[in-house]
Amino acid sequence: MSILEKIPSARKVMRDNFDDACAKASGDGQYRFSLRQLFYVLRPLVMAATGKALEYGNFEAFITDHEAKEGETPGIYRDNRGVLYQPHSGLSEDGEKPLGTLMVESYARPAWTFNKIIYIEKQGFFELLKDQKWPERHDCALITSKGFASRAAKDLIDKLVETGEPIQVFVVHDSDAAGTMIVQTLRDETKARGARQVEVINIGLDPWEAAAMNLPEEAVEWRGKKEQAVAQYVKDYDAEHGTDYEGDLGVRRTELNAMTSPEFLEWLTSKMEAHGAGKVIPPVEVMLHTAQFGIEYNLERRVRAKVMAELDIEGQVAARLTAAKALVGLPTVSLDAAAAWLERRPERTWNGYAFAVADGLTGEIDDADL
């Protein structure tokens, strides 16, 4: 047997050391750990065993195959890539969220707020759409992972479907080979994830549409020796129409950015209208409950305001504050005391120390003395 045959492959080294590497990255299971942290644990092991540096792309491919066979790695998370924008952010926790493993795990869909979500290849269009209140006018959330849909993007869509509320999923992409595969890999089963359990609607930009719109084209520059794959739906279109857009995508492409802002907005709006994607209108019982809550809320505000005015709370507090100052004097604080308090409570802030001083003073006052 030659010396070369005795050298293990990088995959074998990672496979043999995988459990130990996860234990090291997580502090024996005490902490969550990122995919990249695991890479940095395995990389020196691969170098020592093979004499070659471990490439991150090869590491990712190994993880994908490993998890397809063994299931999700406990405790691991992937870095944020892209964002989710929710319309009507005043009705939910916030409008924009970074997209990643941890965000999806804790995500809760705001009830009856949007019934559509568009996966857009390029995040740059978000600002245009937000500025025009397009997501709000169409009750449509926006999502991107800046290129191909990440696991987090797919998991988020699956989680939206599981809520039981209606949801339509659309994809917007460049007219190029990668763009068509963004549609296919988001819709269909891959090594990392199964197929979506909701129809994923491709609304372009596709090459036949770009040609009909006379949008400017650019030559394709392949970064590697192997040409990128083209989605099956393009091949099906060619077979039905006698065209060769599969071949065309090998030599030329059209970006979404070839459209001006007015053109893009008009194009996207027409797509929504073509698919009958209307505003959110929940069941009658949901609207009735909300209306009843609104009545209660409005009356509570009015009653509270009336009672507060009659009691003259502000005046009473001001008078008692004067009495309290006479009883206990002004609070005493110091930098040393604050530092000592924070040393015992490192997760807190200086505000906690100041309020603790206030609590101590007011606790000395008997209500009868006020």
Side-chain angles (χ1 to χ4, degrees), residues 9-16 46 58 61-63 65-66:
S9 68
R11 280 190 167 238
K12 184 177 188 309
V13 176
M14 289 189 283
R15 186 169 56 251
D16 291 346
V46 172
N58 293 336
F62 164 77
I63 293 295
D65 291 342
H66 179 83

Side-chain angles (χ1 to χ4, degrees), residues 205-264:
L205 187 69
D206 285 316
W208 47 88
E209 188 175 18
M213 295 169 67
N214 292 317
L215 293 174
E217 300 174 336
E218 56 189 85
V220 170
E221 296 181 4
W222 297 108
R223 296 179 181 177
K225 296 180 180 179
K226 186 177 180 181
E227 293 186 356
Q228 280 188 283
V230 174
Q232 183 62 43
Y233 78 84
V234 177
K235 302 174 185 179
D236 294 341
Y237 184 96
D238 284 340
E240 181 179 352
H241 296 86
T243 52
D244 186 24
Y245 285 112
E246 179 184 5
D248 289 346
L249 290 176
V251 294
R252 52 182 168 266
R253 63 190 296 273
T254 300
E255 283 210 5
L256 289 165
N257 289 316
M259 285 186 269
T260 65
S261 291
E263 287 173 336
F264 179 77

Side-chain angles (χ1 to χ4, degrees), residues 8-86:
S9 68
R11 280 190 167 238
K12 184 177 188 309
V13 176
M14 289 189 283
R15 186 169 56 251
D16 291 346
N17 292 277
F18 190 78
D19 290 342
D20 289 342
C22 289
K24 183 176 180 179
S26 66
D28 289 325
Q30 293 184 75
Y31 307 101
R32 302 293 298 268
F33 61 101
S34 72
L35 189 64
R36 194 164 289 274
Q37 285 176 306
L38 182 59
F39 168 72
Y40 280 105
V41 174
L42 287 169
R43 188 169 70 165
L45 300 178
V46 172
M47 172 62 82
T50 69
K52 296 181 180 180
L54 176 61
E55 299 291 338
Y56 193 76
N58 293 336
F59 164 74
E60 285 188 305
F62 164 77
I63 293 295
T64 297
D65 291 342
H66 179 83
E67 292 191 328
K69 180 180 178 181
E70 304 294 338
E72 298 287 312
T73 303
I76 202 167
Y77 66 89
R78 285 155 173 85
D79 294 339
N80 294 332
R81 197 179 93 215
V83 297
L84 162 71
Y85 175 76
Q86 297 180 142

Side-chain angles (χ1 to χ4, degrees), residues 8-324:
S9 68
R11 280 190 167 238
K12 184 177 188 309
V13 176
M14 289 189 283
R15 186 169 56 251
D16 291 346
N17 292 277
F18 190 78
D19 290 342
D20 289 342
C22 289
K24 183 176 180 179
S26 66
D28 289 325
Q30 293 184 75
Y31 307 101
R32 302 293 298 268
F33 61 101
S34 72
L35 189 64
R36 194 164 289 274
Q37 285 176 306
L38 182 59
F39 168 72
Y40 280 105
V41 174
L42 287 169
R43 188 169 70 165
L45 300 178
V46 172
M47 172 62 82
T50 69
K52 296 181 180 180
L54 176 61
E55 299 291 338
Y56 193 76
N58 293 336
F59 164 74
E60 285 188 305
F62 164 77
I63 293 295
T64 297
D65 291 342
H66 179 83
E67 292 191 328
K69 180 180 178 181
E70 304 294 338
E72 298 287 312
T73 303
I76 202 167
Y77 66 89
R78 285 155 173 85
D79 294 339
N80 294 332
R81 197 179 93 215
V83 297
L84 162 71
Y85 175 76
Q86 297 180 142
H88 313 295
S89 56
L91 303 179
S92 57
E93 180 183 351
D94 57 20
E96 196 159 287
K97 296 172 176 286
L99 183 62
T101 304
L102 300 180
M103 171 272 191
V104 174
E105 286 180 0
S106 62
Y107 178 76
R109 180 181 182 179
W112 302 106
T113 303
F114 58 86
N115 58 2
K116 297 170 285 295
I117 188 165
I118 297 181
Y119 182 90
I120 303 182
E121 176 182 351
K122 289 180 164 60
Q123 187 176 341
F125 285 103
F126 279 33
E127 295 307 316
L128 167 64
L129 296 172
K130 286 159 55 180
D131 179 67
Q132 294 298 307
K133 300 294 183 184
W134 195 94
E136 285 71 24
R137 289 189 287 110
H138 294 271
D139 290 344
C140 180
L142 311 175
I143 184 176
T144 185
S145 42
K146 300 179 180 180
F148 281 83
S150 62
R151 295 182 183 209
K154 296 175 182 179
D155 290 345
L156 178 63
I157 291 172
D158 292 343
K159 201 166 187 178
L160 291 172
V161 174
E162 290 170 0
T163 65
E165 283 188 33
I167 188 74
Q168 288 181 290
V169 180
F170 301 91
V171 186
V172 174
H173 57 89
D174 288 333
S175 176
D176 57 15
T180 68
M181 290 302 296
I182 285 173
V183 178
Q184 183 165 300
T185 55
L186 178 59
R187 173 190 292 158
D188 298 342
E189 181 179 3
T190 63
K191 286 183 179 180
R193 290 291 183 270
R196 308 284 70 69
Q197 299 303 304
V198 64
E199 181 184 7
V200 175
I201 302 169
N202 169 35
I203 57 175
L205 187 69
D206 285 316
W208 47 88
E209 188 175 18
M213 295 169 67
N214 292 317
L215 293 174
E217 300 174 336
E218 56 189 85
V220 170
E221 296 181 4
W222 297 108
R223 296 179 181 177
K225 296 180 180 179
K226 186 177 180 181
E227 293 186 356
Q228 280 188 283
V230 174
Q232 183 62 43
Y233 78 84
V234 177
K235 302 174 185 179
D236 294 341
Y237 184 96
D238 284 340
E240 181 179 352
H241 296 86
T243 52
D244 186 24
Y245 285 112
E246 179 184 5
D248 289 346
L249 290 176
V251 294
R252 52 182 168 266
R253 63 190 296 273
T254 300
E255 283 210 5
L256 289 165
N257 289 316
M259 285 186 269
T260 65
S261 291
E263 287 173 336
F264 179 77
L265 289 168
E266 181 180 357
W267 174 80
L268 187 60
T269 300
S270 68
K271 294 288 185 173
M272 291 294 101
E273 292 174 349
H275 286 282
K279 296 282 287 182
V280 172
I281 301 179
V284 170
E285 56 269 24
V286 173
M287 292 189 287
L288 179 60
H289 174 77
T290 303
Q292 290 172 333
F293 172 80
I295 292 171
E296 180 181 346
Y297 176 76
N298 291 337
L299 290 177
E300 181 183 346
R301 283 202 313 166
R302 291 169 61 178
V303 170
R304 189 180 297 276
K306 182 180 179 181
V307 171
M308 292 290 284
E310 293 172 349
L311 292 175
D312 187 23
I313 298 296
E314 292 184 2
Q316 292 195 52
V317 170
R320 283 160 175 75
L321 180 58
T322 300

